[in-house]
Amino acid sequence: VTLPGTCAALGVRSGGIVWLRREIELPAGDLDNLWVTLPRSADVFTAFVNGVKVHTVTVENGYGRLLHAIRPPKGLLKAGKN
């Protein structure tokens, strides 16, 4: 999947649900002060980091915002694959 992109480009009709996953590798260091930033989404979404729900966007709390900055709970990120 190439991002940014649209659900239509994936063959998902309007009103569908898409699950996207990305694995990243982090070096050892001060991992408790990192932020995850997500660009504007044209819809509501929930973000998970290492299987833990860290952010949910609904119509009431940020739908259409240009950027979502998320600070995962301390200890959630680890050196290596996340």
Side-chain angles (χ1 to χ4, degrees):
V1 175
T2 301
L3 295 175
T6 65
C7 288
L10 298 172
V12 177
R13 297 182 314 170
S14 178
I17 297 172
V18 177
W19 182 276
L20 301 172
R21 179 180 175 159
R22 173 169 235 163
E23 188 174 273
I24 61 169
E25 182 120 4
L26 295 173
D30 188 10
L31 300 176
D32 286 336
N33 289 313
L34 293 181
W35 290 77
V36 175
T37 57
L38 300 170
R40 180 176 185 234
S41 171
D43 217 330
V44 297
F45 69 88
T46 299
F48 293 82
V49 173
N50 291 336
V52 175
K53 182 167 60 170
V54 295
H55 190 70
T56 297
V57 171
T58 65
V59 173
E60 293 81 23
N61 78 349
Y63 177 79
R65 190 181 311 155
L66 294 179
L67 180 71
H68 298 274
I70 304 160
R71 186 177 222 166
K74 290 183 185 274
L76 185 59
L77 295 172
K78 60 187 187 317
K81 290 183 182 179
N82 287 266

